């Protein structure tokens, strides 16, 4: 098939396939973690493969030991449903609650996929703009309260927010919980990046009956390609949600073994991951500050990425992404996240080896210059 005859999904697939085919690519666009794995995690997965555990399906809700470990780690009253990535945890809730006549309320920017799924289920998606220095790029309880009503099925809060890197306080989460409860909506607290935040309170700890938390092993542990995450829910909701999981035959056995090993070494592992993350963020911050027209949207970031405002530079985010791609570095264009604000920023992941962070900053002046003359950039996803 030529490029012209390819369908949208195939064009998107070729885009990622060509990135994967570049063996020297520096993955700095998807908030994935490329710090070499903890030996205990690698060993657990290799041992599982060697034992041929992959010949059988896992239990549908996950190995009991992993389910317990996830709940203990989150430290909430709840039960875990292990899924193939956090994305499927979120899909399960959307399938359960969204219908024509309901609304799905989230922020703009946010992580877009749950909203797209909600629209597919017939819900009206309400995106509340939070790109505002006056509110420090965060959703305010008043803004949320003004946008929910008896039709609201789900409130979806990504905390820390992807792509902004802001995190909410315990009090803010408590207010979001109260607003959700008052309108009869369920609060989804997407906790994918919580391990990078200096302070984080899962909503289930505040409201053990009317909130759910989605978690992921992709970002803190580096298992993105293994597809493993979880939905943690009040026990009474397991019966409602579990039948709607598309992972009815369980999540990857090998990934679950790696995830459980990761939870056992988490404090040691995260100490090192946080150190590297911060070092990369400091390095990129200095380079951004030295570049006319670039600025960090939020500092300090509470996640493993930085959101960089390009507007004052006159360089288009997609052109800068393409300039870096030509040097085998993947960073993310803002339009991946948001139509409304997408032409204002790029996003750079920082859980990568420090040499990668250095390479990104070394190339910044050259990439900015090259981006100025890049027109007709091919589609990005
Ligand atoms: C906010 C948010 N939630 C969920 C996910 C999905 O994570 P997973 O790889 O566990 O499916 C991502 C991935 O980028 C994300 O940014």
């Amino acid at each position: 098939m030529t490029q012209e005859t390819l369908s949208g999904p195939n064009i998107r697939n070729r885009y990622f396939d060509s990135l994967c085919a570049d063996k020297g690519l520096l993955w700095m666009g998807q908030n994935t973690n490329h710090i070499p794995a903890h030996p205990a995690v690698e060993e657990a997965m290799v041992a599982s493969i060697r034992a041929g555990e992959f010949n059988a399906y896992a239990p549908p809700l996950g190995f009991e030991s992993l389910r317990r470990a996830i709940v203990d780690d989150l430290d909430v009253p709840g039960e875990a449903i292990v899924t193939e990535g956090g994305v499927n945890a979120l899909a399960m809730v959307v399938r359960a609650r969204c219908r024509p006549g309901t609304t799905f309320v989230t922020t703009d920017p946010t992580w877009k996929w749950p909203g797209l799924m909600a629209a597919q289920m017939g819900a009206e998606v309400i995106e509340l703009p939070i790109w505002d220095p006056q509110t420090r790029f965060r959703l305010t309880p008043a803004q949320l309260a003004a946008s929910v009503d008896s039709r609201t099925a789900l409130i979806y809060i990504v905390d820390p927010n992807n792509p902004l890197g802001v995190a909410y306080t315990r009090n803010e989460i408590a207010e979001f919980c109260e607003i959700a409860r008052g309108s009869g909506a369920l609060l989804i607290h997407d906790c994918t990046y919580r391990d990078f935040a200096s302070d984080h309170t899962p909503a289930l700890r505040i409201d053990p009956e009317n909130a759910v938390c989605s978690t992921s092993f992709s970002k803190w542990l580096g298992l993105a390609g293994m597809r493993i995450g979880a939905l943690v829910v009040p026990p009474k909701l397991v019966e409602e949600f579990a039948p709607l999981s598309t992972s009815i035959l369980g999540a990857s056995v090998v990934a679950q073994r790696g995830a459980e090993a990761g939870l056992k070494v988490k404090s040691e592992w995260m100490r090192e991951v946080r150190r590297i993350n911060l070092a990369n963020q400091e390095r990129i911050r200095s380079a951004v500050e030295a570049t006319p027209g670039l600025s960090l949207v939020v500092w300090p970031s509470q996640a493993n990425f930085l959101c960089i405002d390009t507007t004052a530079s006159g360089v288009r985010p997609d052109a800068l992404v393409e300039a870096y791609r030509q040097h085998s570095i993947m960073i993310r264009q803002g339009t991946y996240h948001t139509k409304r604000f997408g032409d204002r920023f790029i996003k750079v992941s920082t859980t990568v080896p420090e040499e990668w962070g250095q390479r990104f900053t070394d190339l910044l002046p050259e990439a900015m210059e090259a981006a100025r003359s890049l027109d007709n950039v091919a589609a990005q996803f």
Side-chain angles (χ1 to χ4, degrees):
M1 269 184 289
T2 64
Q3 192 74 11
E4 295 83 81
T5 57
L6 283 177
S7 64
N10 269 313
I11 294 173
R12 182 168 181 269
N13 200 63
R14 295 280 167 103
Y15 177 79
F16 287 105
D17 196 61
S18 71
L19 291 176
C20 288
D22 180 351
K23 295 304 170 204
L25 189 83
L26 308 194
W27 293 96
M28 299 181 73
Q30 296 175 301
N31 317 336
T32 43
N33 186 336
H34 300 267
I35 298 164
H38 191 290
V41 174
E42 207 173 284
E43 273 156 30
M45 294 195 285
V46 170
S48 173
I49 290 173
R50 292 230 165 94
E53 283 196 315
F54 54 81
N55 293 142
Y57 295 116
L61 304 182
F63 288 115
E64 289 294 335
S65 50
L66 176 60
R67 297 181 71 203
R68 275 194 302 277
I70 289 171
V71 172
D72 288 351
D73 177 52
L74 203 58
D75 192 17
V76 293
E79 276 190 42
I81 301 174
V82 177
T83 55
E84 291 156 292
V87 65
N88 282 311
L90 296 161
M92 186 165 31
V93 188
V94 169
R95 271 154 62 89
R97 293 289 173 100
C98 290
R99 302 276 173 277
T102 64
T103 71
F104 174 100
V105 180
T106 189
T107 57
D108 185 4
T110 186
W111 194 58
K112 66 179 177 179
W113 299 103
L116 293 173
M117 294 174 204
Q120 284 167 357
M121 294 297 296
E124 179 193 341
V125 177
I126 299 174
E127 295 177 330
L128 305 173
I130 57 170
W131 189 287
D132 183 354
Q134 286 194 332
T135 52
R136 293 181 299 122
F137 297 92
R138 48 217 294 119
L139 177 68
T140 65
Q143 195 182 7
L144 180 63
S147 311
V148 301
D149 56 31
S150 59
R151 296 172 307 148
T152 308
L154 296 173
I155 297 171
Y156 175 56
I157 306 285
V158 180
D159 169 37
N161 175 279
N162 179 15
L164 289 166
V166 289
Y168 293 100
T169 63
R170 187 181 204 286
N171 283 347
E172 286 169 318
I173 294 296
E175 289 194 68
F176 297 155
C177 285
E178 203 179 311
I179 293 164
R181 189 173 268 271
S183 69
L186 181 71
L187 181 74
I188 310 179
H189 194 188
D190 183 329
C191 301
T192 298
Y193 299 100
R194 76 183 185 99
D195 298 293
F196 302 103
S198 51
D199 184 32
H200 189 269
T201 308
L204 256 175
R205 205 178 294 156
I206 295 169
D207 188 339
E209 292 188 342
N210 193 56
V212 298
C213 294
S214 67
T215 65
S216 169
F217 289 90
S218 298
K219 318 297 179 163
W220 70 269
L221 193 57
L223 298 189
M226 297 298 294
R227 312 307 308 126
I228 180 93
L231 186 71
V232 182
V233 303
K236 70 173 191 330
L237 293 185
V238 172
E239 275 188 51
E240 177 189 350
F241 291 151
L244 292 160
S245 169
T246 49
S247 309
I248 30 178
L249 299 179
S252 158
V253 171
V254 176
Q256 292 195 52
R257 298 304 189 202
E260 199 171 337
L263 287 170
K264 288 199 180 109
V265 295
K266 186 169 184 181
S267 54
E268 170 200 340
W269 166 249
M270 283 310 293
R271 213 174 304 125
E272 180 64 357
V273 170
R274 279 168 174 269
R275 184 190 67 72
I276 296 170
N277 188 45
L278 195 61
N280 280 324
Q281 294 193 350
E282 292 283 8
R283 184 175 284 123
I284 293 172
R285 177 197 194 191
S286 304
V288 165
E289 284 176 352
T291 307
L294 293 189
S295 58
L296 293 178
V297 181
V298 169
W299 180 269
S301 168
Q302 299 293 311
N304 62 336
F305 46 81
L306 288 171
C307 190
I308 302 172
D309 192 328
T310 54
T311 29
S313 72
V315 165
R316 290 192 332 276
D318 64 331
L320 193 51
V321 168
E322 172 59 16
Y324 270 105
R325 192 199 61 77
Q326 292 180 2
H327 289 277
S328 287
I329 298 181
M330 186 220 186
I331 57 171
R332 214 56 181 279
Q333 65 288 352
T335 47
Y336 169 74
H337 282 280
T338 159
K339 273 203 186 72
R340 198 168 356 190
F341 305 113
D343 57 0
R344 299 184 186 185
F345 69 98
I346 55 158
K347 191 184 66 174
V348 182
S349 319
T350 46
T351 40
V352 297
E354 287 188 63
E355 307 81 81
W356 294 21
Q358 185 67 50
R359 177 105 181 104
F360 173 83
T361 54
D362 287 349
L363 268 174
L364 186 57
E366 187 183 333
M368 286 291 286
E369 202 41 50
R372 288 188 194 281
S373 50
L374 278 176
D375 291 321
N376 300 322
V377 171
Q380 296 168 345
F381 300 91

